[in-house]
Amino acid sequence: MPSPPLPWEFHLPLSPGDLLRSGGPAQYVVQEVLSLAQVAGQLAEFRGAFRVQGPLAILQHFDTLYSLLHHFRSVNAAVKEDALELMVKVMSRHSSDLSSILDNLDLSPSDRTTHLNALKMNCYVLTHLVEAFEIDSCKSGLAGLDPSGKSKKNRTTGSGFCWEEERQPLIQLLTQLLQLNLRRLWCGLVVEEEFISLVTGSCYRILEKPSISHQKHRAMREAVMHLLAVALTHYDHMLSATLKITQMLQHFEHVAPVFAGAVSLWATEYGMKSMVGELLREIGQKCPQDLARDASGVKGYAAFLSELAEQIPAIVLSNMSVLLHHLDGESYVMRNAILTAMAEMLLQVLSGDQLEEAARGTRDQFLDTLQAHLCDVNGFVRSRVLQLFTRIVQRKALPLARFQAVVSLAVGRLQDRSVTVAKNAIQLLAAFLSNNPFSCKLSCTDLAEPLKKEMQKLQEMRDKCTATTAALITPEEEWEAMQPELRDTIHQLLHPLQGEEEEETVEVEETALNTAEHIIHLLRKLNYKDAVRLTQMAVCHFQGMEPFTSSSGLEDDKETMILGILRTLYTDSHLENNIQHPLHISGDEDPVIEEQPPPELVKQEMLVQYLQDAHSFSMKITEALSMVSRMMYESSVSVVQEAIEFFVTVSQFGVPQALHGVQRMLPLVWSKEPGIRETVLSAYRRLYLSPSGDSERARAESLVRSLSLVMVDASLGTIQCLGEIISEFVQKDEIKPAVVHLLWEQFTEKSQCSSLERRAAVMLLGMMARGKPEIVGSNLDVLVKTGLDEKVIEDYRLAQEVCSAISRLASSNKPSEGKNHAPFRLPQTHLLFGRLSEAVTTGFAQPSTLWIPFMESAVTLIYQLAEGPEEICAQILQCCSQQALERLQEPQGVGAEPGTSPSSVPDGTNTLPTFLLTHLLSLMGNVALQQVVHLERAVSAELRRRRVLGEEQEAKKHVANSTKEQSAKSIENETTMEEDLGLVGASADDTEAELIRNICDTELLDGKQLLSAFIPLVLKICNNPGLYNDPALSAAAALALGKLCMVSTEFCDSHLRLLFTMLEKSTLPGVRSNLMIAAGDLAIRFPNLVEPWTPHLYARLRDPCQGVRQTAGLVMTHLILKDMVKVKGQVSEMAALLIDPEEEIVGLARNFFSELSNKGNAVYNLLPDIISRLSDPDCGVEEESFRTIMRQLFSYITKDKQTESLVEKLCQRFRTARTERQYRDLSHCLTLLPLSERGLRKMQDNFDCFADKLHDLAVYNCFLAALGRLRRSVTKPETKALIEEMEQKLHACHNRGRDSTEVPKEPLCQEEGKTPLLEPRKKRQIAGSCRRPMSIANRDADSSFITPQPRVSRRCRGAAQRHSSQKPAIIFSSDEENSPEDELCAELIEDETPSKTIPRVPGLKNCLLSPLLLCEQRAPVQSLLSERGAYLR
């Protein structure tokens, strides 16, 4: 029975408040909003009514549920949960009832209206409950975060209610409801949009919560997607969904992957592909300028496009055109998204060889776009495109024809200013290598030879084919070839078989010429039948016309007639020329079949093309190697790691040049960054610890062979780094025992190997002994007996490496901190020292250049391991001296050798061979130095150890003798006693150091000691370079002098002038290099003595010899960075090395300033002095070179305050500049500074300083350039106004000089006393200037050096004169430093000897402040000479 009609209709409101206001006579209005106390009771009544009336009970109790929603925040949680549970039951019951009601065809209008109103009310209440619970959940989620930021799990109420678990059934219930045919409730019409928006609105509200994207809510997301899919497919929700999705993408970045998955689901499972087009069109219509301003919104769009293209690339491809205009927009995020979408389509849709022509065109267009954006203005876009190309190459989706172009672009990006771009460029090149289609070995040398060979073969085949084709090209010969078949065809057509009739498919053309053309065309296509038929028809149609004339009409002659006409048409050259061109014009016919090249030729062309591509690819990779090699020392850790990985990949592909990069990465093992160090270790682990081979022995041989190749021609630094890596591997047991066993076999010659391999085996064993000393210690006798036998003189290098390996025992047995173990020493009678003594003394008399390095290693080893090493070395020195004396006592002429020193001196005494004297001086110098090292390291440490041990024993005795009654007092006084012991220990350390110093100063070179006997010999050779002019002897004598100076303060003070005179005037580069290193050591050991001679150290930076300059640069780098030398204006000499012709020296200078820039404001403080000196036209550098230096130095000025201060100083410097060159240099320096607004104001404040220099066009342009750069970077109107004002002043001064009233005149400034001008001082002639050419400095090189008597220290006579006048503030310190200390002549007399200005500090510890020479804290005189091993003899 139909229900009575309702007097009202429920309209879905836009806001809850609309239900309280009447919108019409038949519209439902909430009569009363219940109070909070009434809600629970009325809800119980609704529950009872629901049991009786079912889901229609809502019609009488809607106000109750509306009141619940109105007071939702204040209602008790239990009431909320009951209401939600009740509404779920109501909706479930209503949905079940509607399924049968809607199937009833006799549904009355009143029942339809009743159920429609009930449905609206129930859905309204349920969806608003969902939104209310969702909002409440978000608030409770934020409140549930603990102070650490972690969410508290299991946020459930006491009743066990959890909203996140209740949502999914609700959404599924609404989905079930929408799947019904609800249109019947709307009389079969479209369901009103408000109702669908009501249901779907709760879905969008759920998706707004960021946690919805978590994996645990996957089922919830899928439920929402299916509900929206039903709304889209059944209720025309597409337009609303499109707008809502784009709006949410703009405001909620987390929904991008959610909606991408939803759209993909709708397009694939529900067939809603048009939804993709609508969304992309909506995004494509966004204004590019708005997207550039809305940074947060564009991220959502970009992420959505990228995800969508990855999931359904084919559907996105069909709608891609609406997005392409964003590639020209300002938003780089959107450009990245579209380019990513293109890459996904290339990978998933437009890849493979079976693409259609249209798809190939699209693919090429997308690849062109990607390649173009490799040069995008934004670094993030360039980086993203490189990443996309890396994926394309890894998936092998890049066409081979584009390999070279993309590789070239990637190589160009290696020099990109963006670190991320450079890193991704390296990754792309590594991907190209790993996925190249050419070869597993990409050596240019290996590919060039087969390419040349195959190209020659191809040329021969082409020549042969051309000759063959030329021989068959005449039409007559072609006619003869086709005539037999053509004759048979004519015969068949003229005499057809019985019952056989053929349709004529050809027609006669309008003219005879066109018909003849058609016939020839058919003959060339080998279509003989149609050609004959057309000829028959033409003879009848064009009777009597050329060329279809016939002299006989008989039947028997018809075959001959047709054949003759065809021959005439095909072979007639005149006719051929007339009709040949039109044949190629007709586009509706098939092209003429041309003769195809032979298959062998085609294959050869493909092979040559393949080899050419492979060779070009290899050349590009080789070109990239040098760039990537330089990037291994960038400041970015990620770039360094990628560069290392790249070289590992290149090495695996057999590129020979990769070995240089593998060696270049070795020093990075000392990096302070753990990531870089671990990457280097991992690289060498992959390169060398995973060798190929079937057996353990074969793998060991492969590993040893690979490591030996790295050490071929390797420097000392490379070997040190490799030793660190190998010792690390040994400590972690990553090197198998089979490798160690093989190395011992090679060393003992049990396995066949060369001398180089044997030497490499000893070196590797020594490296491994750093990690496990027992590798050498357990086989010490084998090393001594095999490596130091009587054959030592045949291979000194092997013996030297044996000494180096054995020395690992000394370095590994050092006492640990806090432990008083006796040091590891061997007795003097040990076989090792006997063999070493014998080897040194035996080789002393043999002329070998390798004896000196071996001798140094032997003496060092003796001092490291022997007990009483000075006795052993004294015996060696006495034995060698005895040999020299015996040689000297031989008759004249016996010892003379060609090319040595003169055979006799004027007094007629005998002479020694040069090499013998060289050996003697080298041995003496090394013994002297090692004796000092032994005293200050081993003896001092032993004294300290014994003292500490004695103190510990005394303390133990004191504790043992104490009684129980005194225990309390002893406890109270324990701290005091320890402090007293500590003070005693500190005092004892000073006493021991003073004792060692006194021994060095007074005893080692005392007349009673052995070393003192050699001092006159060393001094005589050093003082007479003209008499003793052998380079090796001079170098040895200079080195011995430097080592003797290291021993004693008095000896050093007495002979420093001789040492620096030789450093300045010696014509031998080896002597100058050795003395430069010695002077660096002395600057650390005796800084007070060497400090006045500092200008001579700087002078070597302009030495004409490249090796001396490099050595001087290295020494000065260490001294300056370790604060052992005062950095004055002479540091400009280091800056001048930035333009040195030798690349190694330039790299050294760059490294120096890079390290100096890390020391606070060091570069900033030195810049004025450097500019002052280098811009001096008399002693500076060329203008272009000056600019090169300044570009490098100003790159270290990064702080705003530094920039502002330099602007002021440079502007003020214009007042004292004397030449136009200095004007230009100063103005150019201003252009190198990143000018800011405050810097501009500084420039305006000092405008008077440079106003009169603006007449110079170069100066004027520099100021305009600086202002132009500032204009491009500022946005404030007031700053732009300042720039315009400054430009106007510059323009006025440039055009009119200083006549303008805006610019005060210079004389007025002087009269008012604002900034007084300084008269340029007359430049004094500096005899010993560091810029003096060596040709002049060495003009008296042949004269003897005169050693002065030891001088007495005196005060500097010119101290008062140097500080008498105070300079104005605008004068740089470099202008004040031309003191007598800086004006040292190359040839010095005693009065010109620099005086010591710093008081001497007693004790050695206070002077040796630099770790340049310190291997550890207690080794203050471990000389750089022996540490580097780089003696230039």
Side-chain angles (χ1 to χ4, degrees):
M1 180 177 181
S3 59
L6 295 173
W8 44 263
E9 183 177 356
F10 185 81
H11 291 276
L12 293 172
L14 296 178
S15 65
D18 292 345
L19 290 174
L20 300 175
R21 298 182 294 271
S22 175
Q27 182 176 344
Y28 179 82
V29 179
V30 174
Q31 300 299 322
E32 180 186 4
V33 178
L34 303 177
S35 65
L36 185 63
Q38 296 174 321
V39 171
Q42 293 297 320
L43 187 64
E45 291 184 9
F46 174 56
R47 186 186 300 275
F50 169 66
R51 293 193 188 99
V52 177
Q53 303 177 21
L56 297 181
I58 191 67
L59 299 175
Q60 288 79 31
H61 296 273
F62 179 79
D63 291 2
T64 300
L65 294 167
Y66 181 87
S67 302
L68 173 70
L69 293 173
H70 183 77
H71 299 293
F72 190 83
R73 295 181 180 179
S74 305
V75 175
N76 188 10
V79 177
K80 298 178 186 179
E81 296 167 11
D82 291 343
L84 180 65
E85 180 183 2
L86 179 58
M87 286 307 303
V88 170
K89 294 179 179 179
V90 171
M91 282 301 303
S92 179
R93 175 79 174 276
H94 202 180
S95 177
S96 177
D97 294 346
L98 283 176
S99 62
S100 57
I101 293 173
L102 295 176
D103 291 339
N104 184 8
L105 300 178
D106 300 328
L107 183 65
S108 64
S110 60
D111 289 343
R112 182 191 62 78
T113 304
T114 300
H115 283 285
L116 177 60
N117 287 324
L119 177 64
K120 289 181 180 180
M121 288 182 170
N122 285 327
C123 287
Y124 178 85
V125 174
L126 183 60
T127 54
H128 279 71
L129 278 175
V130 170
E131 292 186 14
F133 272 104
E134 192 66 26
I135 294 173
D136 194 39
S137 174
C138 290
K139 293 181 178 179
S140 62
L142 294 175
L145 290 176
D146 59 15
S148 64
K150 299 181 180 179
S151 60
K152 299 178 181 178
K153 297 184 178 179
N154 299 325
R155 293 190 302 271
T156 58
T157 62
S159 61
F161 178 83
C162 179
W163 168 242
E164 293 182 351
E165 297 177 359
E166 299 291 335
R167 292 183 303 182
Q168 185 177 347
L170 287 174
I171 299 300
Q172 292 173 344
L173 178 61
L174 292 174
T175 304
Q176 182 181 355
L177 176 67
L178 291 182
Q179 287 176 339
L180 301 175
N181 187 16
L182 297 180
R183 289 188 180 87
R184 292 209 59 198
L185 295 179
W186 277 269
C187 301
L189 301 177
V190 177
V191 178
E192 61 181 287
E193 185 178 351
E194 290 80 2
F195 178 78
I196 302 302
S197 298
L198 176 70
V199 178
T200 57
S202 59
C203 297
Y204 296 126
R205 169 69 69 179
I206 292 173
L207 293 179
E208 289 178 2
K209 192 174 181 180
S211 62
I212 194 65
S213 59
H214 297 171
Q215 181 63 25
K216 64 179 181 180
H217 295 143
R218 180 180 178 182
M220 184 66 218
R221 293 197 303 271
E222 292 178 351
V224 171
M225 293 176 189
H226 286 292
L227 188 151
L228 294 175
V230 173
L232 287 168
T233 53
H234 293 77
Y235 301 102
D236 297 331
H237 184 57
M238 181 179 295
L239 179 60
S240 299
T242 301
L243 297 176
K244 187 65 177 178
I245 290 174
T246 53
Q247 182 182 7
M248 290 184 67
L249 287 174
Q250 184 176 3
H251 294 92
F252 304 98
E253 190 175 343
H254 71 275
V255 301
V258 177
F259 278 130
V263 174
S264 175
L265 177 72
W266 301 338
T268 54
E269 295 190 11
Y270 291 91
M272 296 294 295
K273 296 182 179 180
S274 57
M275 184 69 184
V276 179
E278 291 295 328
L279 283 170
L280 296 185
R281 191 173 296 107
E282 187 70 23
I283 296 175
Q285 290 174 355
K286 298 291 182 181
C287 178
Q289 288 76 16
D290 294 341
L291 291 179
R293 289 190 292 268
D294 185 13
S296 59
V298 75
K299 290 181 180 179
Y301 295 144
F304 174 74
L305 291 176
S306 302
E307 292 279 348
L308 194 64
E310 182 179 355
Q311 298 181 26
I312 47 173
I315 302 175
V316 175
L317 176 61
S318 60
N319 298 277
M320 195 66 186
S321 59
V322 299
L323 300 172
L324 294 180
H325 70 281
H326 282 301
L327 289 174
D328 299 326
E330 298 179 9
S331 174
Y332 76 89
V333 179
M334 184 61 73
R335 295 203 298 275
N336 274 346
I338 297 174
L339 293 171
T340 303
M342 287 183 175
E344 292 295 340
M345 297 168 205
L346 288 170
L347 290 172
Q348 302 185 43
V349 182
L350 301 175
S351 61
D353 299 330
Q354 308 300 325
L355 293 178
E356 299 179 355
E357 191 64 29
R360 288 178 182 272
T362 305
R363 180 196 66 186
D364 293 341
Q365 181 182 359
F366 283 1
L367 288 173
D368 290 338
T369 303
L370 287 173
Q371 288 181 218
H373 282 276
L374 274 175
C375 301
D376 196 282
V377 295
N378 189 281
F380 292 106
V381 179
R382 299 194 299 273
S383 177
R384 184 59 179 159
V385 174
L386 288 168
Q387 294 174 355
L388 296 175
F389 268 119
T390 301
R391 288 186 57 204
I392 292 172
V393 172
Q394 290 174 344
R395 298 274 292 273
K396 303 185 186 303
L398 185 67
L400 186 60
R402 290 185 177 263
F403 253 61
Q404 303 300 330
V406 179
V407 169
S408 299
L409 289 171
V411 172
R413 289 299 97 199
L414 290 175
Q415 298 177 332
D416 199 283
R417 61 188 176 187
S418 171
V419 171
T420 309
V421 175
K423 181 186 72 173
N424 286 302
I426 298 175
Q427 291 178 344
L428 176 56
L429 290 173
F432 268 116
L433 270 172
S434 302
N435 300 275
N436 80 87
F438 304 114
S439 173
C440 61
K441 298 297 180 183
L442 291 172
S443 171
C444 295
T445 306
D446 296 341
L447 291 172
E449 187 63 28
L451 174 61
K452 182 179 179 181
K453 180 180 178 181
E454 297 299 332
M455 288 185 68
Q456 291 178 351
K457 184 177 179 181
L458 175 63
Q459 189 61 39
E460 293 174 358
M461 294 178 67
R462 283 176 174 172
D463 294 342
K464 183 178 179 181
C465 183
T466 303
T468 305
T469 305
L472 300 174
I473 201 170
T474 56
E476 288 78 7
E477 294 178 352
E478 291 181 4
W479 173 259
E480 293 296 333
M482 70 173 65
Q483 185 174 351
E485 186 177 355
L486 189 59
R487 189 185 298 276
D488 294 340
T489 303
I490 296 173
H491 182 76
Q492 291 176 5
L493 291 176
L494 293 180
H495 305 284
L497 298 177
Q498 190 172 4
E500 180 182 356
E501 292 186 4
E502 298 183 5
E503 297 181 0
E504 295 184 358
T505 58
V506 292
E507 296 180 358
V508 178
E509 302 290 340
E510 295 180 358
T511 63
L513 186 61
N514 290 342
T515 304
E517 172 190 340
H518 195 184
I519 291 172
I520 295 175
H521 189 191
L522 292 172
L523 289 175
R524 289 178 175 171
K525 291 176 60 179
L526 307 181
N527 192 351
Y528 297 151
K529 288 185 179 181
D530 288 347
V532 172
R533 291 196 189 100
L534 186 58
T535 303
Q536 287 179 304
M537 296 170 63
V539 170
C540 298
H541 190 272
F542 301 107
Q543 293 183 1
M545 297 179 61
E546 292 291 340
F548 302 103
T549 56
S550 173
S551 59
S552 174
L554 298 177
E555 186 70 15
D556 295 340
D557 296 329
K558 195 169 186 180
E559 181 176 342
T560 305
M561 177 195 66
I562 294 175
L563 196 63
I565 292 174
L566 291 175
R567 178 186 178 89
T568 303
L569 290 175
Y570 198 82
T571 59
D572 189 356
S573 59
H574 177 71
L575 184 62
E576 178 78 10
N577 292 333
N578 288 336
I579 67 177
Q580 189 173 2
H581 180 69
L583 281 174
H584 300 281
I585 296 178
S586 58
D588 56 340
E589 296 187 9
D590 297 332
V592 178
I593 297 178
E594 299 180 357
E595 185 177 359
Q596 299 294 327
E600 294 80 5
L601 181 61
V602 175
K603 292 181 180 179
Q604 187 65 21
E605 289 176 344
M606 293 175 63
L607 175 60
V608 170
Q609 185 62 44
Y610 169 81
L611 291 175
Q612 285 178 339
D613 292 341
H615 186 264
S616 300
F617 179 74
S618 178
M619 292 292 292
K620 282 294 179 183
I621 294 299
T622 304
E623 177 186 348
L625 288 179
S626 59
M627 300 182 186
V628 180
S629 177
R630 291 192 295 269
M631 297 170 67
M632 280 196 292
Y633 290 89
E634 293 286 343
S635 57
S636 172
V637 175
S638 59
V639 172
V640 175
Q641 291 174 328
E642 289 299 333
I644 293 172
E645 292 294 332
F646 176 75
F647 273 103
V648 174
T649 305
V650 173
S651 300
Q652 293 172 345
F653 280 87
V655 179
Q657 292 82 358
L659 184 60
H660 172 71
V662 172
Q663 291 179 341
R664 186 173 168 79
M665 75 173 71
L666 275 170
L668 293 174
V669 76
W670 309 105
S671 174
K672 297 178 182 179
E673 290 288 342
I676 295 179
R677 174 182 168 84
E678 187 55 40
T679 304
V680 174
L681 292 174
S682 176
Y684 272 82
R685 189 177 291 113
R686 290 162 55 189
L687 287 172
Y688 297 108
L689 295 190
S690 301
S692 59
D694 299 331
S695 62
E696 191 76 21
R697 174 79 177 187
R699 288 191 289 272
E701 290 177 350
S702 177
L703 189 149
V704 171
R705 190 181 311 110
S706 301
L707 291 177
S708 300
L709 285 176
V710 179
M711 293 188 293
V712 173
D713 297 331
S715 64
L716 180 62
T718 300
I719 294 175
Q720 292 274 357
C721 299
L722 186 61
E724 175 68 16
I725 292 176
I726 292 179
S727 66
E728 185 82 13
F729 292 159
V730 171
Q731 290 176 5
K732 297 179 179 179
D733 293 326
E734 296 185 50
I735 294 183
K736 304 299 181 182
V739 177
V740 181
H741 185 68
L742 176 61
L743 291 174
W744 282 114
E745 287 184 1
Q746 289 186 355
F747 171 65
T748 56
E749 296 183 304
K750 291 183 179 179
S751 62
Q752 191 68 25
C753 63
S754 64
S755 59
L756 288 176
E757 292 173 336
R758 189 182 180 201
R759 193 182 310 147
V762 180
M763 294 173 67
L764 290 174
L765 287 172
M767 295 174 184
M768 294 177 183
R770 294 177 58 181
K772 288 185 177 180
E774 58 269 19
I775 292 177
V776 170
S778 59
N779 296 277
L780 180 58
D781 292 340
V782 177
L783 275 174
V784 174
K785 293 178 181 179
T786 307
L788 299 175
D789 56 6
E790 61 278 357
K791 298 181 180 179
V792 168
I793 59 175
E794 299 177 6
D795 193 351
Y796 281 120
R797 289 182 178 176
L798 177 64
Q800 184 180 356
E801 296 302 333
V802 169
C803 293
S804 177
I806 298 175
S807 66
R808 302 301 177 191
L809 295 177
S811 59
S812 64
N813 286 278
K814 293 178 181 177
S816 302
E817 194 71 26
K819 296 182 180 180
N820 292 313
H821 299 301
F824 176 77
R825 291 279 172 176
L826 296 175
Q828 294 183 7
T829 57
H830 194 276
L831 179 63
L832 170 64
F833 307 122
R835 291 290 181 91
L836 288 175
S837 301
E838 182 182 354
V840 172
T841 54
T842 303
F844 175 77
Q846 304 295 327
S848 173
T849 57
L850 300 177
W851 180 85
I852 294 178
F854 163 69
M855 175 272 299
E856 292 169 350
S857 300
V859 172
T860 303
L861 182 59
I862 291 172
Y863 272 98
Q864 286 178 338
L865 290 180
E867 293 180 354
E870 63 279 354
E871 298 178 8
I872 300 175
C873 290
Q875 293 176 1
I876 295 175
L877 190 55
Q878 288 175 350
C879 183
C880 293
S881 302
Q882 186 64 32
Q883 293 185 48
L885 290 174
E886 293 175 357
R887 190 68 174 269
L888 187 62
Q889 293 171 1
E890 292 179 0
Q892 286 190 0
V894 177
E897 294 180 359
T900 62
S901 297
S903 59
S904 63
V905 289
D907 58 2
T909 58
N910 295 340
T911 60
L912 279 175
T914 302
F915 81 88
L916 207 60
L917 199 54
T918 303
H919 286 183
L920 184 61
L921 294 180
S922 299
L923 176 61
M924 182 277 304
N926 198 47
V927 170
L929 181 63
Q930 292 302 322
Q931 182 63 34
V932 176
V933 174
H934 176 67
L935 286 172
E936 296 203 352
R937 294 182 60 184
V939 175
S940 179
E942 180 63 15
L943 289 174
R944 183 172 60 254
R945 186 188 72 83
R946 293 181 180 182
R947 173 176 51 80
V948 173
L949 189 61
E951 292 172 354
E952 291 177 355
Q953 291 176 353
E954 290 181 3
K956 290 179 181 179
K957 290 180 182 180
H958 179 72
V959 173
N961 295 331
S962 62
T963 59
K964 294 182 179 180
E965 291 79 10
Q966 296 174 340
S967 58
K969 294 183 179 180
S970 64
I971 292 174
E972 293 176 0
N973 298 330
E974 184 177 359
T975 304
T976 306
M977 182 184 68
E978 291 178 355
E979 291 178 355
D980 292 342
L981 288 176
L983 292 174
V984 171
S987 176
D989 284 340
D990 292 339
T991 303
E992 292 162 4
E994 186 68 20
L995 173 63
I996 299 299
R997 186 182 64 81
N998 287 333
I999 293 174
C1000 293
D1001 285 346
T1002 61
E1003 296 185 15
L1004 286 186
L1005 299 182
D1006 185 67
K1008 300 177 182 180
Q1009 302 298 327
L1010 180 62
L1011 294 177
S1012 62
F1014 298 90
I1015 294 177
L1017 178 61
V1018 173
L1019 296 179
K1020 184 174 182 180
I1021 296 175
C1022 292
N1023 277 304
N1024 297 277
L1027 183 61
Y1028 302 96
N1029 56 7
D1030 182 78
L1033 178 60
S1034 299
L1039 206 54
L1041 177 63
K1043 292 178 179 179
L1044 289 173
C1045 287
M1046 293 287 292
V1047 176
S1048 168
T1049 307
E1050 295 181 1
F1051 185 87
C1052 179
D1053 192 16
S1054 302
H1055 299 89
L1056 263 185
R1057 187 159 63 90
L1058 173 61
L1059 187 145
F1060 278 98
T1061 302
M1062 295 175 65
L1063 176 64
E1064 185 79 22
K1065 298 190 66 176
S1066 176
T1067 58
L1068 301 174
V1071 173
R1072 299 200 298 275
S1073 294
N1074 282 345
L1075 289 176
M1076 187 67 203
I1077 298 173
D1081 287 347
L1082 291 172
I1084 293 176
R1085 183 159 172 78
F1086 305 123
N1088 297 319
L1089 297 180
V1090 179
E1091 192 274 337
W1093 300 89
T1094 303
H1096 286 272
L1097 297 177
Y1098 282 105
R1100 292 307 95 216
L1101 296 173
R1102 290 212 179 189
D1103 196 280
C1105 177
Q1106 177 261 338
V1108 179
R1109 290 199 308 276
Q1110 185 172 355
T1111 303
L1114 181 63
V1115 171
M1116 296 308 298
T1117 295
H1118 282 285
L1119 293 178
I1120 294 173
L1121 295 180
K1122 302 304 180 183
D1123 297 324
M1124 300 308 299
V1125 168
K1126 285 188 176 181
V1127 184
K1128 301 181 180 179
Q1130 294 96 337
V1131 77
S1132 60
E1133 304 296 346
M1134 289 293 293
L1137 295 184
L1138 290 169
I1139 55 171
D1140 196 274
E1142 297 295 332
E1143 188 63 30
E1144 293 182 0
I1145 299 179
V1146 174
L1148 177 65
R1150 287 177 179 170
N1151 181 66
F1152 165 74
F1153 283 105
S1154 177
E1155 293 294 329
L1156 191 64
S1157 65
N1158 297 328
K1159 300 184 64 174
N1161 299 327
V1163 175
Y1164 162 76
N1165 294 331
L1166 293 172
L1167 258 179
D1169 288 341
I1170 296 175
I1171 295 173
S1172 176
R1173 297 219 173 192
L1174 295 184
S1175 62
D1176 192 330
D1178 297 331
C1179 54
V1181 297
E1182 296 296 330
E1183 188 169 358
E1184 190 59 36
S1185 300
F1186 174 85
R1187 298 188 174 188
T1188 303
I1189 296 172
M1190 290 301 114
R1191 277 195 297 271
Q1192 181 70 32
L1193 296 183
F1194 274 85
S1195 65
Y1196 303 114
I1197 304 299
T1198 56
K1199 299 179 181 178
D1200 293 338
K1201 290 185 178 180
Q1202 294 178 351
T1203 301
E1204 297 162 13
S1205 178
L1206 278 177
V1207 169
E1208 183 176 17
K1209 289 183 178 181
L1210 290 173
C1211 290
Q1212 292 177 354
R1213 181 61 179 167
F1214 275 96
R1215 288 196 180 278
T1216 55
R1218 304 187 302 273
T1219 64
E1220 293 185 356
R1221 158 72 192 280
Q1222 290 177 316
Y1223 305 158
R1224 294 193 299 270
D1225 288 344
L1226 292 171
S1227 59
H1228 177 74
C1229 291
L1230 284 171
T1231 64
L1232 299 176
L1233 289 169
L1235 199 63
S1236 61
E1237 180 181 353
R1238 297 178 65 177
L1240 176 61
R1241 295 187 184 277
K1242 293 283 186 182
M1243 187 181 293
Q1244 283 186 326
D1245 295 341
N1246 294 275
F1247 188 82
D1248 297 345
C1249 298
F1250 58 84
D1252 59 334
K1253 314 300 189 301
L1254 292 172
H1255 63 85
D1256 190 307
L1257 182 61
V1259 176
Y1260 174 68
N1261 289 335
C1262 286
F1263 277 95
L1264 288 183
L1267 294 177
R1269 188 182 299 110
L1270 177 61
R1271 182 194 298 276
R1272 291 191 295 269
S1273 61
V1274 299
T1275 56
K1276 296 181 181 180
E1278 54 271 20
T1279 307
K1280 292 184 177 180
L1282 285 175
I1283 296 174
E1284 293 177 358
E1285 179 185 353
M1286 187 68 178
E1287 287 179 341
Q1288 292 175 1
K1289 295 174 69 175
L1290 292 174
H1291 184 71
C1293 289
H1294 176 64
N1295 291 335
R1296 300 192 304 272
R1298 301 296 303 278
D1299 297 332
S1300 175
T1301 57
E1302 298 177 359
V1303 184
K1305 295 183 179 181
E1306 190 69 27
L1308 180 61
C1309 177
Q1310 289 185 4
E1311 291 174 3
E1312 294 177 357
K1314 294 182 178 179
T1315 307
L1317 283 178
L1318 299 178
E1319 291 295 333
R1321 295 183 300 176
K1322 184 177 181 181
K1323 187 169 182 63
R1324 291 180 290 181
Q1325 185 67 26
I1326 301 176
S1329 172
C1330 57
R1331 299 184 179 85
R1332 189 182 183 193
M1334 282 299 296
S1335 59
I1336 300 175
N1338 296 330
R1339 63 176 181 263
D1340 299 328
D1342 294 334
S1343 63
S1344 299
F1345 294 165
I1346 301 175
T1347 305
Q1349 295 296 326
R1351 64 181 178 85
V1352 180
S1353 300
R1354 61 185 185 277
R1355 296 182 179 272
C1356 183
R1357 294 173 298 179
Q1361 298 176 2
R1362 289 196 302 271
H1363 303 286
S1364 59
S1365 59
Q1366 184 178 0
K1367 303 295 181 182
I1370 61 172
I1371 298 299
F1372 293 149
S1373 59
S1374 59
D1375 296 334
E1376 306 173 15
E1377 293 175 357
N1378 292 328
S1379 63
E1381 292 181 6
D1382 301 329
E1383 301 173 6
L1384 302 175
C1385 185
E1387 185 177 0
L1388 303 176
I1389 61 176
E1390 187 170 356
D1391 291 339
E1392 295 173 337
T1393 303
S1395 301
K1396 293 176 292 186
T1397 58
I1398 302 177
R1400 187 175 185 275
V1401 182
L1404 290 173
K1405 292 183 179 179
N1406 296 327
C1407 356
L1408 304 175
L1409 304 179
S1410 170
L1412 177 62
L1413 306 179
L1414 304 182
C1415 293
E1416 57 184 32
Q1417 187 176 2
R1418 297 299 302 173
V1421 293
Q1422 180 61 36
S1423 172
L1424 178 65
L1425 296 172
S1426 58
E1427 188 68 22
R1428 292 180 70 243
Y1431 308 148
L1432 303 178
R1433 298 180 178 84

